[in-house]
Amino acid sequence: PCESGNSMPWFGMDIGGTLTKLVYFEPKYITKDEADAEVETLKNIRQYLTKNSAYGKTGHRDAHLQMDDVCIRGRRGTLHFIRFPTSEMGNFLALAKAKGMATLVTTVCATGGGAYKFEENFNQEVNLSLAKFDELDSLIRGMLYIDATNPHECYYWSEPTDESKCQKVPYDFSKPYPFLLVNIGSGVSILAVQGPNDYRRISGTSLGGGTFLGLCCLLTGCNSFEEAIELATSGDSTRVDKLVKDIYGGDYSRFGLPGDLVASSLNDVCSFGQMNSKDRRNTVSREDLARATLVTITNNIGSITRMCALNEKIERVVFVGNFLRVNPISMKLLASAMDYWSKGTLKALFLEHEGYFGAVGCLLQFTG
Ligand code: ADP
């Protein structure tokens, strides 16, 4: 439905509840005709997007994720990955207008709830119409494309419970089906994927990345996701949670639960269970509270995922979404939760471009 045909520029946009993800395809070779026809505005936009790594106060280009020499619709080029908070949409539109976007393309491919919410703003403020695509279709299409294109895309965490041995290991995901796809954004969606065009949304939870960030800001006074993760990294959730040993007073071997097996891989603890005591509240730090919030949200997602995998008889789980950005604590927790409770039959997999697949899938659906 993109009316702009194959003329540049090519964008895919995923306007989520928290973050807007923008993927831009920069062609490697521009034909002479295109160069002649390339209006000054487009050249400026191309240079603005590809030469900067920050846009205004809140826009970022994830240069480490950049993919060179990819092929899309017979064109070679580079994929650039850009994100900004959806709350900054007003500034984005003003910038797009100032850069003359409206004079270049008539249609931008978009997905996510914001493609509906902001459609009128795109129309009226920048004279752009949105070609809207389904977000789950886009997510799966984008992830399959990136995984097939980037040989280092998929990995798992080996020995996730042993900090000294734990490391990222590449995983060959060339025969993917069936798998569970767990998208941890503001909320969580769980899909069972049987084939490229054969999937169902089987479950989800409203306790997701947005919940972690919201609760963490409330409890610690932090102001950003990065700060929340930094606090959590030096905190100890066992000072906040009630553990097996706090309840049973030692090992509780009848159920195979070692008493000091900390909250990290178990959900048989009571999250925040020590915080009813005033004395305990007075001894915990912001770091401990951040860590406990992260562990609580992550373990809940882990246990819902495990139940889904069991129900669907699927053994591989791919976790995506920006909640996992700069967040090895949650990835390792999910990896050990899958491992521990399934006695090794379930495998937790992760992807480098974690939060960008919806936007990529959207760009690919551009039909021209
Ligand atoms: P959505 O499409 O719902 O916005 P995302 O996959 O983009 O979902 O994930 C949003 C979540 O990612 C947030 O709730 C938060 O937990 C986490 N996150 C990671 N980086 C950031 C950031 N820079 N700003 C806000 N949230 C972030």
Side-chain angles (χ1 to χ4, degrees), residues 16-19 21 83 185-186 209-210 213 225-226 321-323 325:
T18 308
L19 294 173
K21 283 72 67 178
R83 65 186 150 85
S186 309
L213 187 52
F225 181 76
E226 287 75 7
N322 276 320
F323 173 65
R325 232 195 99 238

Side-chain angles (χ1 to χ4, degrees), residues 14-21 60 83 85-86 112 135 183-187 208-213 224-226 320-326 354-356:
D14 175 4
I15 313 174
T18 308
L19 294 173
T20 296
K21 283 72 67 178
H60 295 275
R83 65 186 150 85
T86 301
E135 65 183 296
N183 185 26
I184 318 179
S186 309
T211 318
F212 160 67
L213 187 52
S224 70
F225 181 76
E226 287 75 7
V320 298
N322 276 320
F323 173 65
L324 300 174
R325 232 195 99 238
V326 297
E354 56 224 346
Y356 280 109

Side-chain angles (χ1 to χ4, degrees), residues 94-162:
L95 185 74
K97 190 174 182 177
K99 296 274 167 199
M101 272 291 282
T103 63
L104 291 175
V105 275
T106 52
T107 307
V108 166
C109 302
T111 188
Y116 295 85
K117 180 173 175 185
F118 297 107
E119 186 168 23
E120 276 297 299
N121 304 77
F122 274 85
N123 287 338
Q124 292 180 355
E125 291 164 40
V126 218
N127 193 29
L128 290 175
S129 63
L130 297 184
K132 297 190 289 305
F133 294 98
D134 178 79
E135 65 183 296
L136 298 180
D137 288 348
S138 301
L139 175 70
I140 292 175
R141 187 180 294 228
M143 108 160 235
L144 292 173
Y145 172 82
I146 297 286
D147 183 68
T149 309
N150 176 13
H152 308 294
E153 186 64 28
C154 188
Y155 62 94
Y156 65 95
W157 291 91
S158 70
E159 309 214 37
T161 44
D162 185 341

Side-chain angles (χ1 to χ4, degrees), residues 247-275:
I247 301 171
Y248 288 98
D251 280 12
Y252 196 68
S253 47
R254 227 180 101 191
F255 290 143
L257 305 175
D260 62 349
L261 201 75
V262 275
S264 60
S265 62
L266 284 178
N267 29 30
D268 272 43
V269 297
C270 170
S271 303
F272 283 83
Q274 299 200 55
M275 292 298 91

